């Protein structure tokens, strides 16, 4: 029986589960490994990701799907089992990052355009064959007093919509990720500017999705939260939750089954607290969950430190964060659970 995109999308965002973004490109994972003094090689990347995917409690109970980088989709664990099979065995869905990165945009200083559309239909067919049932594409939007420019925003939104249409045609659920940068430069914008930009970005993205005939029931939105820039943090948890939900309600159609936030450079605990506050306080037409990279992995990476004797410690740290975020997806995270751990 053919799988319905709508069913896959619902499974990705419901039941108190969320997504693990483990799709760091080779250059980004190198930066992460540099922080623990570990050389980035195909084997060290495999060891790290294998550790995460073999964390049974986290993967079975809290993680609905994993976003992979292409290398990982075709990589095998040390014992020869394909990493994709580890993910599936835990009842989680393998996904794949299909953009080829945000590149400097011509005649648009400080802005980028995400590439990867050429030949994408063929790649999607290969990824589907390899077991991927959802994909991810990230458009990056810089925020300052003068950015984004409309040209850059429109080009990124258009690329996101073309990608989403290609995914749906290939039987793959698109995660549409327009990220308004919290930690870009200068990063001193306030939350009011973030409201303004995020609202305009989401409106533009959904217009483009409509023009490309994307079925909203068969996609997942991965937005930033509405928050002050990294160098100007002031807003309380309640304010971030309130302003984020308000912007989403103004722009995201109820047909979208779920919204899975990126963490964007928030501390691990902030990312959890904000998500929990939204779910605890507001009635919303969509499921609200996490699709965190750094906020799920930071503590695990540190605890592991690249040493095989620390695999269990790394898995414990990952499981703890996954559990906290699962509680947040149900609106029932409490700060003292962090202390207890
Ligand atoms: C895990 O990081 C992802 C890959 O980034 P690069 O292509 O730059 O290597 C990234 O797309 C990620 O999926 C999202 O930005 C969310 O991650 P965070 O860390 O912001 O939660």
């Amino acid at each position: 029986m053919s799988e319905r995109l709508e069913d896959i999308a619902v499974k990705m965002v419901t039941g108190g589960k969320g997504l693990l973004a483990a799709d760091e490109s080779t250059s980004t994972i190198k930066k992460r490994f540099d922080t623990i003094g570990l050389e980035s090689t195909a084997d060290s990347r495999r060891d790290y990701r294998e550790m995460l995917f073999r964390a049974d409690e986290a993967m079975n109970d809290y993680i609905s799907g994993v976003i992979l980088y292409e290398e990982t989709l075709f990589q095998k664990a040390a014992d020869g089992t394909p990493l994709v099979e580890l993910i599936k065995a835990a009842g989680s869905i393998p996904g794949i990052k299909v953009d080829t990165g945000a590149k400097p945009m011509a005649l648009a200083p400080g802005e980028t355009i995400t590439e990867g559309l050429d030949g994408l239909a063929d790649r999607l067919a290969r990824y589907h064959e390899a077991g991927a049932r959802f994909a991810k594409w990230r458009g990056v939007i810089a925020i300052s007093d003068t950015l984004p420019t409309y040209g850059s925003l429109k080009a990124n939104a258009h690329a996101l919509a073309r990608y989403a249409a290609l995914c749906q045609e290939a039987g793959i659920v698109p995660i549409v990720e327009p990220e308004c940068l919290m930690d870009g430069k200068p990063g001193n914008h306030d939350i009011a500017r973030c409201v303004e930009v995020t609202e305009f970005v989401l409106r533009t993205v959904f217009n483009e999705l409509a023009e490309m005939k994307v079925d909203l029931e068969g996609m997942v939105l991965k937005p930033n939260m509405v928050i002050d820039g990294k160098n100007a943090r002031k807003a309380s948890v309640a304010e971030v939750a309130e302003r984020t939900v308000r912007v989403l309600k103004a722009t995201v159609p109820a047909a979208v089954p779920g919204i899975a936030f990126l963490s964007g450079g928030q501390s691990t605990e902030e990312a959890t607290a904000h998500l929990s506050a939204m779910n605890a306080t507001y009635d919303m037409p969509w499921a609200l969950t996490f699709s965190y990279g750094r906020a799920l992995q930071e503590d695990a990476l540190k605890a592991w430190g690249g040493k095989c004797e620390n695999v269990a410690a790394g898995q414990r740290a990952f499981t703890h964060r996954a559990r906290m975020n699962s509680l947040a997806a149900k609106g029932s995270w409490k700060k003292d659970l962090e202390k207890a751990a």
Side-chain angles (χ1 to χ4, degrees):
M1 212 178 73
S2 72
E3 301 154 301
R4 295 173 69 240
L5 293 177
E6 293 85 339
D7 297 336
I8 300 168
V10 165
K11 192 169 171 216
M12 288 163 65
V13 293
T14 52
K17 292 187 178 185
L19 302 163
L20 165 64
D23 58 315
E24 298 86 356
S25 53
T26 311
S27 63
T28 300
I29 196 76
K30 180 184 177 314
K31 284 188 217 144
R32 307 276 186 265
F33 282 5
D34 283 348
T35 66
I36 56 165
L38 177 68
E39 191 190 348
S40 176
T41 64
D43 281 356
S44 63
R45 294 191 288 272
R46 186 237 12 237
D47 290 345
Y48 173 59
R49 287 164 172 155
E50 182 174 348
M51 169 192 78
L52 298 175
F53 307 159
R54 284 194 193 273
D56 290 337
E57 183 189 332
M59 293 294 296
N60 282 299
D61 298 346
Y62 314 128
I63 301 295
S64 56
V66 184
I67 314 173
L68 303 168
Y69 189 56
E70 190 185 73
E71 175 187 66
T72 323
L73 184 70
F74 297 102
Q75 211 169 24
K76 292 192 163 112
D79 68 2
T81 313
L83 292 175
V84 161
E85 294 306 321
L86 296 184
I87 295 168
K88 288 205 240 168
S92 188
I93 311 170
I96 173 84
K97 183 235 293 295
V98 302
D99 66 67
T100 54
K103 308 285 162 55
M105 185 158 161
L107 305 183
E111 299 191 290
T112 58
I113 177 72
T114 301
E115 296 186 349
L117 287 172
D118 289 352
L120 182 55
D122 294 340
R123 285 198 288 134
L124 287 167
R126 272 200 302 126
Y127 298 150
H128 190 278
E129 168 93 24
R133 289 297 177 270
F134 68 90
K136 196 204 80 172
W137 178 292
R138 181 167 68 122
V140 180
I141 310 295
I143 308 185
S144 72
D145 291 345
T146 52
L147 298 181
T149 61
Y150 184 60
S152 149
L153 158 56
K154 174 99 175 149
N156 275 291
H158 182 75
L160 274 165
R162 284 198 52 208
Y163 137 84
L166 284 162
C167 284
Q168 291 192 334
E169 208 165 69
I172 288 182
V173 171
I175 297 182
V176 173
E177 180 181 6
E179 175 175 9
C180 302
L181 286 179
M182 168 193 134
D183 60 351
K185 290 191 186 100
N188 58 2
H189 59 273
D190 65 9
I191 193 168
R193 177 74 182 140
C194 190
V195 166
E196 200 170 64
V197 172
T198 306
E199 191 165 325
F200 193 56
V201 165
L202 290 175
R203 197 156 279 147
T204 308
V205 166
F206 278 99
N207 282 341
E208 293 286 335
L209 289 168
E211 285 177 12
M212 293 297 142
K213 306 192 185 75
V214 171
D215 174 9
L216 299 182
E217 293 182 14
M219 64 160 276
V220 169
L221 178 71
K222 176 165 173 167
N224 53 286
M225 294 183 192
V226 172
I227 194 166
D228 299 295
K230 189 150 188 153
N231 301 321
R233 298 296 298 277
K234 276 197 293 285
S236 64
V237 169
E239 185 176 1
V240 169
E242 196 242 300
R243 290 198 183 227
T244 303
V245 170
R246 182 171 286 186
V247 166
L248 294 174
K249 283 192 170 174
T251 54
V252 183
V256 173
I259 296 174
F261 289 105
L262 59 92
S263 57
Q266 299 176 57
S267 75
T268 52
E269 213 176 297
E270 280 170 345
T272 308
H274 289 143
L275 176 62
S276 194
M278 288 181 229
N279 278 313
T281 320
Y282 301 98
D283 280 330
M284 290 166 289
W286 351 260
L288 224 59
T289 189
F290 56 92
S291 174
Y292 295 160
R294 287 163 285 182
L296 271 173
Q297 295 185 52
E298 232 164 64
D299 301 348
L301 180 67
K302 218 181 286 167
W304 175 61
K307 302 199 170 81
C308 46
E309 63 270 26
N310 291 341
V311 163
Q315 290 176 328
R316 270 198 304 277
F318 171 49
T319 303
H320 173 67
R321 280 281 30 102
R323 192 166 78 85
M324 293 299 103
N325 285 306
S326 168
L327 289 170
K330 297 183 259 192
S332 46
W333 171 82
K334 297 276 173 305
K335 193 176 171 57
D336 48 3
L337 295 169
E338 299 282 354
K339 283 197 214 101

